[in-house]
């Protein structure tokens, strides 16, 4: 792929200007890849069904198709720029050359003859994600995972299940309040906690059931696992987080996926009839919590066998124990690697509360090794 210095794109128009241009105008357009048009008025952010088309917008977080330019990719460019082949390009800034024309009954760009990435990389290389290999971890944590080293696939999943299920302290449901004040404490404000979906720092003692309080959000919904609040998956801190009461109620038992309309109270969070898309900063956190639950609970302890599914919106009896969407969660895991808050939380659960760890926070590469 061609990589352009931002200064070299001075002649390119923005997407808003391109939308206002008449059909037949030759354009060089600069914008962000925000999804793939699949029908009039419908743009998906994954999974992508083909490499045939792109949606471009001025804002990388744009969700309104009316503010997107829909791009028809010609055959020679599909293998390089198509989102089905390269979902990692979602959000990338590009310059495209083509002709303004209607596409999917909306403003589009056709006869595209060139696409190039805008080089928006920082001047100095970004550090590699912490805890990306065994050597980055403290000796006690390396020892904790010793039986998993050198494994992959189902063999690795089985080994991790045994590790994270051994010598675990199961909390009572009422103990979660105190535990969450510790695990999710705001590092910049003693006595406050960080809510998962809003990102707000709120008083730790403002917990309960009122709309302006925070409560205990089960990232793997209780009803989707059939575990309620009994000690076990219903009280496992690796997927229970503080959440605004109203936002938590709105999330309900939805699957995780891209798309929908703005939730309203939680910035950059989207909801539709069958899925929930959290803010960018915690998408990876959510993915790793869900994947942990699938490895931790295999049906041998009186609870359902939890599995991550590619389907969303299922409510039939056979859906018990399933949560989606796998492909979206895997992408979120790659896009949002573990940060200091998530690693500190993992340490606190291990050292103070449950005695076990989320392996996908410590060793992110194990996600691809299993899935």
């Amino acid at each position: 792929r061609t990589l352009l210095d931002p200064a070299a794109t001075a002649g390119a128009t923005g997407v808003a200007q391109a939308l206002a241009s008449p059909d037949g105008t030759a354009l060089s357009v600069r914008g962000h890849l925000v999804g793939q048009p699949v029908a009039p008025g419908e743009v998906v952010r994954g999974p992508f069904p083909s490499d045939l088309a792109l949606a471009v917008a001025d804002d990388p977080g744009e969700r309104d198709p009316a503010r997107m330019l829909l791009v028809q990719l010609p055959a020679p460019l599909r293998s390089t720029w198509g989102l089905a082949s390269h979902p990692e390009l979602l959000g990338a800034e590009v310059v495209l050359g083509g002709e303004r024309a209607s596409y999917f009954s909306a403003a589009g760009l056709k006869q595209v003859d060139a696409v190039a990435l805008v080089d928006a990389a920082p001047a100095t290389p970004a550090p590699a994600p912490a805890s990306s290999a065994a050597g980055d971890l403290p000796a006690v944590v390396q020892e904790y995972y010793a039986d998993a080293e050198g494994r992959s696939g189902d063999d690795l999943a089985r080994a991790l299940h045994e590790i994270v299920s051994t010598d675990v302290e199961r909390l009572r449901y009422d103990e979660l309040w105190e535990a969450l004040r510790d695990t999710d404490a705001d590092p910049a404000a003693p006595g406050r906690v960080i809510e998962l979906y809003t990102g707000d720092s709120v008083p730790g003692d403002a917990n309960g059931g009122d709309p302006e309080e925070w409560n205990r959000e089960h990232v793997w919904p209780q009803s989707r696992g059939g575990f309620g609040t009994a000690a076990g998956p219903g009280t496992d801190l690796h997927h229970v987080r503080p959440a605004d009461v109203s936002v938590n109620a709105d999330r309900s038992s939805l699957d995780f996926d891209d798309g929908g309309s703005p939730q309203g109270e939680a910035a950059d969070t989207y909801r539709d009839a069958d899925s929930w898309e959290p803010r960018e900063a915690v998408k990876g956190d959510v993915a790793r919590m869900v994947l942990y639950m699938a490895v931790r609970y295999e049906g041998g302890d009186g609870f359902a066998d939890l599995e991550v599914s590619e389907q969303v919106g299922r409510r039939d009896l056979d859906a018990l124990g399933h949560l989606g969407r796998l492909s979206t969660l895997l992408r979120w895991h790659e896009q949002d690697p573990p940060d200091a808050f998530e690693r500190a939380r993992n340490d606190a659960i291990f050292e103070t509360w449950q005695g076990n760890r989320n392996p996908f926070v410590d060793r992110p590469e194990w996600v691809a090794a299993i899935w």
Side-chain angles (χ1 to χ4, degrees), residues 102-290:
S102 179
Y103 188 42
F104 280 98
S105 303
L109 194 69
K110 292 185 176 181
Q111 299 184 29
V112 176
D113 56 13
V115 186
L117 282 171
V118 176
D119 183 7
T124 57
S131 301
S132 61
D136 298 327
L137 300 170
V140 65
V141 180
Q142 293 184 47
E143 183 179 353
Y144 179 75
Y145 292 120
D147 289 345
E149 294 298 339
R151 301 175 188 263
S152 62
D154 291 342
D155 188 33
L156 174 59
R158 284 190 294 269
L160 291 177
H161 169 74
E162 291 301 320
I163 290 168
V164 303
S165 304
T166 301
D167 297 327
V168 177
E169 179 71 21
R170 294 188 175 190
L171 303 178
R172 300 189 313 272
Y173 195 56
D174 60 3
E175 291 180 299
L176 293 179
W177 298 120
E178 180 184 358
L180 291 171
R181 292 186 189 102
D182 175 36
T183 60
D184 292 76
D186 183 345
R192 302 177 74 86
V193 298
I194 303 293
E195 293 177 335
L196 175 62
Y197 298 130
T198 66
D200 291 342
S201 176
V202 298
D205 59 3
N207 60 282
D210 290 339
E212 299 306 315
E213 294 181 322
W214 64 270
N215 62 4
R216 296 159 290 195
E217 154 71 331
H218 292 77
V219 174
W220 193 296
Q222 295 162 292
S223 63
R224 303 294 297 278
F227 45 71
T229 60
T235 64
D236 193 322
L237 283 168
H238 283 298
H239 86 119
V240 180
R241 300 288 293 268
D244 176 86
V245 169
S246 300
V247 176
N248 190 4
D250 201 28
R251 188 262 161 137
S252 185
S253 60
L254 294 172
D255 293 281
F256 291 105
D257 200 6
D258 291 315
S261 302
Q263 188 276 331
E265 294 183 69
D268 301 321
T269 296
Y270 296 83
R271 184 191 194 281
D272 59 24
D274 56 21
S275 69
W276 182 263
E277 179 184 353
R279 59 194 175 97
E280 297 289 336
V282 297
K283 283 182 173 178
D285 307 50
V286 165
R288 287 179 283 276
M289 286 186 276
V290 170

Side-chain angles (χ1 to χ4, degrees), residues 306-370:
L306 304 185
E307 298 291 344
V308 191
S309 170
E310 190 58 26
Q311 294 180 275
V312 298
R314 292 182 62 187
R315 292 297 183 269
D316 55 278
L317 292 177
D318 292 337
L320 183 66
H322 290 76
L323 190 69
R325 181 183 310 264
L326 177 59
S327 59
T328 299
L329 292 165
L330 296 180
R331 175 163 45 80
W332 289 356
H333 165 71
E334 293 293 334
Q335 292 175 345
D336 174 35
D339 59 18
F341 185 89
E342 193 178 358
R343 292 193 296 271
R345 190 176 195 277
N346 202 24
D347 290 339
I349 294 172
F350 177 60
E351 296 166 4
T352 306
W353 297 100
Q354 291 183 184
N356 71 342
R357 305 184 68 86
N358 183 333
F360 307 119
V361 175
D362 294 320
R363 299 288 297 275
E365 73 275 14
W366 276 346
V367 170
I370 295 175

